Amino acid sequence: MKFKTSLAAAAALALGLAGAASAQTKVGFIYVGPVGDLGWSYEHDQGRLAVEEHFGDAVETTYVESVPEGADAERVLTQMALGGADIIFTTSFGYMDPTINVAEKFPNVMFEHATGYKRADNVSTYSARFYEGRHVIGLIAGEMTETNTIGYIASFPIPEVVRGINAAYLAAKSVNPDVEFKVVWVYTWFDPGKEADAANALIEQGADVIMQHTDSPAAMTIAEEKGIYAFGQASDMMQFGPNARLSSIIDNWAPYYIERVQAVIDGTWESTDTWDGIGPGMVEIGEFSDKIPADVAARAQAAADAIAAGTLHPFTGPINKQDGTPWLAAGEVADDGTLATMDFYVEGIVGELPQ
Amino acid sequence: MLRLERRRQSSRIMFWTTPLIAVALTLIIGGILFAILGVNPFAAMKIIFLDPFFHETYGPYSRTQFLVKAVPLILIATGLSVGFRAGIWNIGAEGQFVMGAIAGAAVGLALYPAEGWWVLPLMAIVGALGGFLWAMIPAILKIKFNANEILVSLMLVYVSYNFLAAMVTGPLKNPDGFGFPDSRNFTDVEATTLPLLYEPLGLYTSGVVALIIVIAAYILMEKHLLGFQVKVTGQSPRAAKFSGVKPALIIAMCLGLSGALAGLAGLFEVTGPAGKLTTNFPVGYGFTAIIVAFLGRLHPIGIIIAGLLMALTYIGGELAQLVLNLPAPAIQVFQGIMLFSILAVEVFINYRLVWKKEAV
Amino acid sequence: MFGDLSLVSLIVSLMIASTPILFAATGELVVEKAGVLNLGVEGMMLIGAISGFAVAVSTGNPIVGFLGAAAGGAIAALIFGVLTQYLLSNQVATGLALTLFGTGVSALMGQPYNGLKPPPSPRLDIPVLSDLPVVGPILFSHDIMLYVSLLLVAAVWYFLYRTRGGLILRAVGEDHNAAHSLGYNVILIRLGAIAFGGACAGVGGAYLSLIRVPQWTQDMTAGVGWIALAIVVFASWKPYRVILGAYLFGGVTVLQLNLQALGVNISAAYLSMTPFIVTIVVLVIMSANRRKTSLNAPAMLGRIFHASH
């Protein structure tokens, strides 16, 4: 948005970037959902609290929740920067352009944008390799299903979600050749009622293990009620399904947030592109339920360890695309570029990917 | 007992003092709310109502944001107010906003990266047309089949949300966007960027267009036969019929006008402040505009004031979250309290409290 | 093509999915029959959802929870009632303000309840009957509140069309001046209707937080209140048609999710639109059939009443 960048620039310069002299490091966060969503925004806020805990009085954190992407985000970011923030975490993909625009006006404020691809001298990007976690829970799901049907509640057909489905499917298939995935697209990130309906629909269609890529714990509560299995998404969700929950993929932003804030304090912050997985702890696998047989749990743990060690990649050939065309040759590993833009199902998944 | 008695004529004194009473009520009740939440009420009020104008750090920037937030509300509310006066309930301006944005954006993307002064006006016309046509669905169903426009226009909001999701993950997806659910950014190309006319106030071209439309709407309603017919229809549909008003025309005109203005607002949003289509660029302007229309008593000037006031509470509310770490829901409650206060005291313009002995 | 689709389980799920809408729409129907338009359903549902959840968790009794939800919804509705009936405020704007207010209040109230589990609600379990094939799951195995929602519709129908009180309430909605000159207290009757509508919306919200999803999450109604408002219009203000509308909408929602799970080859984005489009289409068909007759909208809907004498 070059043509309006000068909007706040004048104000910013006139004030000499207020707050720069403050001894405390000011850390700002903006969230796309309410911190009470118990999913995406909740976990980012847990990261913020960890920063507060770690640094104590050396930092001051502030956040604004439920900020719509677009013009509102740009305004909130500008106000945060004007308020003297030293580093700002923008925690949703849709904040990408607003982050870049505001960063251009405040060269002395560092920005960290989650899940995007645009960077600048003072804008880093970071994201988590959730598909590594999907591989691990896919292994468990493939072994635990008795109906050989795994239900998947998906939000929007974007690479992040498609990648998760593919990773989970390949893993499940590797331990259970008869496994079948049923995918329901709900076209929302957060709608507990609809997510619950989707879980019910999948159960009716024979699914006895449910995975989800939406934010609320609704599917977990339904799984508990119906006596089937499910996995926690974003947060552990143990309390919603003490019997149903097999494990979970937890977004653990705390180590990254602490590291980046430390870099600002030390004056060593640089623009980087981080895509971390199980190894550095950004993706955490929740404790295995005792419902999982010991040998299955051991194999899943081994896979998680191998991924962390870098000896196993969830997308290792031979893998064909859904239409049968070859994607990866035997032993070949998917490159990050293809993963980041993944817009196809792998071979074996039934149903059409919405385009 | 205390009771209300209708005044012979509206009180001019009360016309000017009721807003002050409303402010006082808001400060008192809202202050109690903030005190309960453990926040200094005076600090909170200062941040919400004064700091967006006068704060030395935030003020200069916040002042540029009122129009950004208020113009779409005013534009949509102006269109809605005409229909509301005729008793035609377009509750689906949000959907028309979305469809206008999609239609106009589709033209811009088809022409991408065309240069030329005519691109944006063309997009604006198609945007208005998109909103107009979307609003014609409830209009035609009402005229031809007697289908209630509240239901149809409201249901079409959800259809438009799903259509938007299909578009930004499908045909209108940014080809260079790594598969993410958004369109190209219109503000990267000058021909599709809504011009910012006066920076210190954040005045985009849309603000000027909105002002012209508000004036036009005023003339339509107060000086033109059609406006008279609209008002007659609203007061008494039967009387309107006898005086030769064609109900079908009024229905089509009211829904079409509000749809076109909502569509135009949508297009302005994606070529200006929002910059692009995303699954969640609509932030509920279509619904908030209904409040703005009634808060402004369906009058053009009132709508402008109401739109600016709503904008202030959004911007001040964000500042309060930022500075005082108030949760976002507290701001919603506060907005509710403010609206209740304003709506509660309006009655004293046309009525007065009197002490009467029991009548029976 | 629908080989794998079990009609029985589809009907069972659609009844559960539709019940929050059914409660809220039935309440709003009574409000509108009294001539009042309260657009604050979404806000009242959210307040009901958290009030019911909080009471159920702290007492351990879901039925007491539903009573709490009704109380919460009714109190929220009475804010609207006092403003619109005594202070003659605009109903549309006040209702929308109530939605803002209720959304915020419920989120603030709900903070301590994130992540808690509500006590399970009692279910109907009649020996033999509940175990019957087809009829058992559809008719005799639901949670108690689902039956309450259907009884509520019947009760509202009976009240409106078979009792003197219902006649008076409808009279108030059709011509408040005439009702007033006959000596009826228009304002009190309307306040009663508004409180009843709020209580129903509250129970509908609690059905979501205590039974359908069972959990409390901020903003969890996600637009159900708006659908309930549309269903009242769909029903052209007739109680039994509220069941039709709610079950139709819920049914198509559940059906489209099932079709997706079945792997039907229609784009999911377009399938997601079907509940809304089907509702419009059915409304059009029904409206067109009775084109010449009145729409049954209460004549005084949304109009302000002030007794001048």
Side-chain angles (χ1 to χ4, degrees):
Chain A
M1 301 192 195
K2 294 180 199 69
F3 303 97
K4 56 180 183 180
T5 44
S6 48
L7 238 178
L13 291 174
L15 289 155
L17 296 166
S22 162
Q24 265 187 332
T25 301
K26 285 190 161 187
V27 188
F29 292 82
I30 78 167
Y31 307 133
V32 71
V35 295
D37 68 0
L38 301 182
W40 182 254
S41 294
Y42 172 80
E43 283 300 328
H44 284 285
D45 199 53
Q46 293 301 109
R48 176 184 73 87
L49 294 171
V51 166
E52 275 199 339
E53 171 123 335
H54 182 86
F55 292 100
D57 287 341
V59 299
E60 182 192 338
T61 71
T62 179
Y63 73 90
V64 182
E65 61 182 325
S66 302
V67 181
E69 298 164 351
D72 292 318
E74 193 159 332
R75 177 171 56 253
V76 170
L77 287 175
T78 305
Q79 283 166 339
M80 253 181 200
L82 284 170
D86 299 293
I87 179 168
I88 299 175
F89 293 90
T90 63
T91 62
S92 178
F93 165 71
Y95 295 151
M96 181 166 67
D97 289 4
T99 303
I100 294 290
N101 293 337
V102 178
E104 208 172 305
K105 293 177 236 160
F106 295 91
N108 293 333
V109 181
M110 307 309 149
F111 291 82
E112 296 271 352
H113 176 234
T115 72
Y117 54 83
K118 289 186 185 170
R119 279 170 292 280
D121 282 348
N122 59 336
V123 181
S124 286
T125 52
Y126 64 100
S127 186
R129 294 179 188 268
F130 296 117
Y131 66 89
E132 296 184 352
R134 300 265 170 210
H135 177 87
V136 178
I137 66 170
L139 289 176
I140 299 172
E143 303 255 25
M144 297 300 288
T145 176
E146 280 166 18
T147 59
N148 291 328
T149 307
I150 292 167
Y152 205 110
I153 303 170
S155 50
F156 293 96
I158 59 172
E160 166 76 40
V161 178
V162 176
R163 204 161 56 228
I165 297 171
N166 284 334
Y169 175 76
L170 289 170
K173 181 97 176 166
S174 72
V175 294
N176 179 353
D178 298 325
V179 82
E180 204 187 317
F181 267 43
K182 291 188 184 291
V183 183
V184 168
W185 298 92
V186 290
Y187 278 85
T188 174
W189 287 107
F190 180 82
D191 181 342
K194 200 168 183 188
E195 292 170 52
D197 289 348
N200 275 318
L202 288 164
I203 294 166
E204 273 162 37
Q205 295 307 322
D208 61 351
V209 180
I210 301 262
M211 295 187 187
Q212 64 173 54
H213 205 140
T214 47
D215 282 348
S216 94
M220 180 64 81
T221 54
I222 296 297
E224 179 77 12
E225 196 178 280
K226 295 281 165 76
I228 62 149
Y229 295 126
F231 295 92
Q233 160 72 12
S235 63
D236 194 53
M237 298 187 182
M238 172 67 112
Q239 66 272 42
F240 296 103
N243 299 303
R245 180 196 154 287
L246 290 174
S247 180
S248 54
I249 304 177
I250 304 168
D251 311 355
N252 182 8
W253 305 107
Y256 182 76
Y257 288 173
I258 290 170
E259 179 195 321
R260 301 304 284 174
V261 171
Q262 186 67 53
V264 167
I265 294 172
D266 297 344
T268 57
W269 190 96
E270 277 182 345
S271 171
T272 53
D273 175 21
T274 304
W275 199 12
D276 277 351
I278 296 177
M282 195 179 268
V283 176
E284 211 177 289
I285 305 296
E287 202 184 321
F288 294 139
S289 149
D290 53 19
K291 303 271 187 319
I292 306 175
D295 59 323
V296 175
R299 282 200 293 277
Q301 187 59 50
D305 293 343
I307 291 173
T311 54
L312 170 65
H313 193 292
F315 290 102
T316 306
I319 303 174
N320 289 346
K321 295 186 180 179
Q322 191 184 30
D323 58 7
T325 55
W327 172 37
L328 297 173
E332 194 186 349
V333 166
D335 63 284
D336 280 359
T338 314
L339 287 182
T341 58
M342 189 176 259
D343 59 355
F344 56 86
Y345 278 151
V346 294
E347 192 174 43
I349 297 182
V350 194
E352 202 177 328
L353 182 61
Q355 286 292 343
Chain B
M1 62 185 278
L2 268 180
R3 50 168 298 150
L4 289 169
E5 191 176 271
R6 196 170 178 96
R7 297 177 195 273
R8 286 222 182 79
Q9 63 187 84
S10 306
S11 158
R12 289 209 70 79
I13 300 169
M14 284 318 258
F15 185 85
W16 294 109
T17 47
T18 47
L20 298 177
I21 303 172
V23 168
L25 271 176
T26 308
L27 293 181
I28 294 166
I29 306 173
I32 295 170
L33 165 78
F34 290 128
I36 292 171
L37 292 170
V39 170
N40 181 340
F42 298 100
M45 295 301 173
K46 175 173 167 290
I47 287 170
I48 294 173
F49 288 113
L50 299 178
D51 282 358
F53 297 104
F54 306 116
H55 191 278
E56 59 169 338
T57 310
Y58 301 112
Y61 173 73
S62 293
R63 286 199 290 269
T64 68
Q65 292 294 301
F66 290 113
L67 291 178
V68 170
K69 209 71 195 157
V71 164
L73 291 173
I74 293 169
L75 203 50
I76 301 169
T78 303
L80 289 177
S81 68
V82 175
F84 291 161
R85 281 206 179 176
I88 290 163
W89 297 96
N90 180 4
I91 304 293
E94 179 80 358
Q96 294 135 24
F97 178 89
V98 170
M99 294 310 273
I102 293 175
V107 170
L109 292 170
L111 295 171
Y112 180 88
E115 286 296 332
W117 62 267
W118 49 273
V119 177
L120 191 64
L122 179 68
M123 288 168 73
I125 291 167
V126 177
L129 195 63
F132 173 83
L133 291 175
W134 200 243
M136 276 300 112
I137 300 173
I140 289 169
L141 294 181
K142 186 177 174 71
I143 294 165
K144 287 271 169 211
F145 303 105
N146 218 3
N148 185 300
E149 75 279 11
I150 296 181
L151 180 140
V152 178
S153 62
L154 185 59
M155 287 294 180
L156 286 175
V157 173
Y158 298 97
V159 175
S160 76
Y161 283 160
N162 280 300
F163 187 68
L164 173 67
M167 287 298 112
V168 296
T169 55
L172 300 185
K173 183 164 66 176
N174 181 359
D176 305 326
F178 298 96
F180 280 103
D182 58 7
S183 72
R184 285 185 192 280
N185 195 318
F186 293 101
T187 55
D188 287 342
V189 179
E190 190 164 8
T192 54
T193 302
L194 188 65
L196 185 56
L197 298 179
Y198 184 61
E199 283 190 18
L201 283 177
L203 177 68
Y204 285 91
T205 318
S206 55
V208 178
V209 173
L211 187 65
I212 294 169
I213 283 169
V214 169
I215 295 169
Y218 179 80
I219 295 170
L220 172 79
M221 290 307 289
E222 303 302 328
K223 312 283 176 203
H224 195 278
L225 178 64
L226 208 53
F228 173 74
Q229 294 186 336
V230 163
K231 285 188 276 188
V232 174
T233 308
Q235 273 149 16
S236 167
R238 290 181 81 190
K241 255 189 181 165
F242 288 125
S243 63
V245 177
K246 290 197 182 73
L249 178 76
I250 297 292
I251 292 167
M253 199 275 289
C254 289
L255 277 162
L257 179 70
S258 50
L261 292 183
L264 190 61
L267 187 274
F268 286 150
E269 189 66 14
V270 293
T271 52
K276 59 182 171 188
L277 290 176
T278 61
T279 50
N280 52 6
F281 88 92
V283 295
Y285 283 132
F287 290 117
T288 311
I290 302 174
I291 302 182
V292 169
F294 281 104
L295 210 55
R297 298 169 197 169
L298 305 182
H299 187 279
I301 311 246
I303 286 171
I304 291 178
I305 296 170
L308 288 168
L309 180 68
M310 282 307 286
L312 174 63
T313 61
Y314 281 114
I315 292 163
E318 284 163 7
L319 276 184
Q321 284 189 62
L322 191 62
V323 177
L324 300 174
N325 269 337
L326 270 172
I331 303 303
Q332 285 177 317
V333 177
F334 179 75
Q335 282 177 324
I337 289 171
M338 184 191 77
L339 293 171
F340 286 150
S341 304
I342 296 171
L343 294 164
V345 297
E346 248 178 48
V347 66
F348 299 109
I349 298 171
N350 288 312
Y351 294 83
R352 64 176 160 209
L353 269 180
V354 291
W355 180 263
K356 267 199 175 171
K357 292 217 176 88
E358 202 63 43
V360 182
Chain C
M1 154 182 183
F2 301 141
D4 285 320
L5 206 56
S6 154
L7 198 60
V8 173
S9 52
L10 200 63
I11 292 172
V12 172
S13 334
L14 87 81
M15 291 174 85
I16 296 169
S18 310
T19 299
I21 305 175
L22 186 54
F23 271 116
T26 306
E28 179 69 12
L29 179 133
V30 173
V31 181
E32 294 190 11
K33 271 287 181 194
V36 179
L37 181 64
N38 183 356
L39 294 186
V41 180
E42 181 87 356
M44 300 186 295
M45 286 186 86
L46 279 167
I47 288 184
I50 184 56
S51 317
F53 191 89
V55 174
V57 165
S58 51
T59 61
N61 184 336
I63 299 302
V64 181
F66 278 104
L67 292 176
I75 291 169
L78 282 174
I79 301 177
F80 169 90
V82 168
L83 285 168
T84 56
Q85 300 311 305
Y86 288 111
L87 296 169
L88 314 183
S89 71
N90 176 281
Q91 294 177 6
V92 174
T94 311
L96 289 168
L98 180 62
T99 285
L100 256 180
F101 180 81
T103 309
V105 166
S106 63
L108 291 180
M109 282 171 65
Q111 275 167 0
Y113 295 95
N114 279 336
L116 296 184
K117 262 173 79 84
S121 290
R123 306 178 70 85
L124 200 62
D125 186 15
I126 308 168
V128 188
L129 281 183
S130 298
D131 300 328
L132 286 174
V134 185
V135 197
I138 294 179
L139 294 181
F140 301 114
S141 310
H142 291 291
D143 58 271
I144 303 290
M145 291 310 289
L146 193 144
Y147 301 102
V148 173
S149 72
L150 295 170
L151 287 175
L152 180 76
V153 177
V156 162
W157 173 83
Y158 184 83
F159 170 75
L160 284 177
Y161 296 102
R162 290 290 180 273
T163 67
R164 197 175 149 68
L167 183 69
I168 296 167
L169 185 133
R170 285 187 291 135
V172 166
E174 290 302 331
D175 189 341
H176 47 219
N177 291 322
H180 175 72
S181 21
L182 289 172
Y184 297 117
N185 190 332
V186 173
I187 290 176
L188 270 187
I189 290 166
R190 284 188 169 162
L191 274 181
I194 290 167
F196 176 78
C200 291
V203 170
Y207 190 87
L208 208 56
S209 65
L210 290 177
I211 295 176
R212 183 170 163 217
V213 181
Q215 69 190 35
W216 162 253
T217 327
Q218 191 175 332
D219 301 343
M220 70 181 301
T221 49
V224 176
W226 293 99
I227 302 300
L229 277 165
I231 294 303
V232 178
V233 177
F234 176 91
S236 59
W237 295 270
K238 293 193 179 102
Y240 67 92
R241 270 172 57 166
V242 171
I243 302 185
L244 182 70
Y247 280 20
L248 175 74
F249 184 86
V252 180
T253 306
V254 169
L255 180 67
Q256 72 94 358
L257 292 169
N258 272 279
L259 289 179
Q260 280 198 48
L262 257 180
V264 170
N265 237 351
I266 305 171
S267 171
Y270 297 100
L271 269 179
S272 299
M273 298 175 188
T274 50
F276 311 103
I277 294 174
V278 168
T279 309
I280 292 175
V281 169
V282 175
L283 174 83
V284 166
I285 293 169
M286 294 192 315
S287 310
N289 277 345
R290 47 192 76 215
R291 209 174 150 185
K292 300 291 175 203
T293 63
S294 86
L295 271 176
N296 294 306
M300 295 294 120
L301 190 58
R303 294 191 183 243
I304 287 172
F305 168 75
H306 176 69
S308 46
H309 56 91

